[in-house]
Amino acid sequence: MTVKVGDVIPDGTLQYVPYDPKEALTACPRPIQLNIHEKLKGKKAIIFAIPGPFTPTCSENHVPGFLSAYDALKAKGVQDVICISVVDGFIMNAFAKAYNAGDKVIMAGDGSAIFSSALGLTQDLTKMGMGIRSKRFAIVVDDLVVKYVGIEQAPGVTSSGAEAVLAKL
């Protein structure tokens, strides 16, 4: 079953590396756990998912859109922006560094797709050599309650993009 407006966001554990401005691009720090309910309790937040870091749409459109919209999202009361992908926390850390996410967007791995599966938002990209991945989506959460779900039904970024999310805040 797919998560919908009014649901409590499922709890889950992701892996990420906290932002460190002194960390070199080639540094390999160990990811730590990010518990969804602990992190987002009492907060307004956005969770958006990309099928694959370093892939064209994710790298050229989806992630840059949220980075560019960061100040506007904060002005609307968003406290955390989390980007997830079905890869490990090491890859998401490298992706964060490559795209200068800094402390604006938490780049977190959902390595085994457990959280994405709990949301009902996975897709099988085995034919493309990528295995099970998350769908491209954005969710607005306020004190753990889902307020908006935008799931892409075709290639590209529309309902899951920063502009669509801003319009729903």
Side-chain angles (χ1 to χ4, degrees), residues 34 38-41 43-47 70 73-74 77-83 103-106 139 141:
L34 182 151
E38 286 177 17
K39 180 71 174 165
L40 303 183
K41 176 88 175 131
K43 294 181 176 180
K44 183 184 284 188
I46 297 164
I47 301 169
Y70 178 77
L73 294 166
K74 285 293 199 185
V78 172
Q79 294 163 280
D80 285 311
V81 180
I82 302 171
C83 174
D103 58 358
K104 293 180 178 180
V105 175
I106 296 168
I139 298 172
V141 178

Side-chain angles (χ1 to χ4, degrees), residues 2 17 24-25 33 35 38-39 41 46 50-51 53 94 102 106 111 113 122 124 140 153 162:
T2 303
V17 175
L25 178 62
Q33 292 187 345
N35 178 275
E38 286 177 17
K39 180 71 174 165
K41 176 88 175 131
I46 297 164
I50 56 174
I106 296 168
T122 58
D124 188 346
V140 175
Q153 303 301 320

Side-chain angles (χ1 to χ4, degrees), residues 20-77:
D20 179 351
K22 298 176 192 151
E23 189 177 280
L25 178 62
T26 56
C28 191
R30 302 300 185 257
I32 62 172
Q33 292 187 345
L34 182 151
N35 178 275
I36 294 294
H37 278 200
E38 286 177 17
K39 180 71 174 165
L40 303 183
K41 176 88 175 131
K43 294 181 176 180
K44 183 184 284 188
I46 297 164
I47 301 169
F48 74 101
I50 56 174
F54 300 108
T55 58
T57 303
C58 304
S59 299
E60 296 166 0
N61 188 328
H62 209 186
V63 171
F66 278 97
L67 291 171
S68 295
Y70 178 77
D71 290 334
L73 294 166
K74 285 293 199 185
K76 295 269 191 167

Side-chain angles (χ1 to χ4, degrees), residues 24 29 36 44 56 59 61 84 101 106 114 118 147 157 159 166:
I36 294 294
K44 183 184 284 188
S59 299
N61 188 328
I84 70 168
I106 296 168
I114 294 170
K147 299 297 184 180
V157 177
S159 65
L166 273 167

Side-chain angles (χ1 to χ4, degrees), residues 11 69 121 136 168:
D11 200 5
L121 293 171
R136 184 179 307 285
K168 298 295 180 179

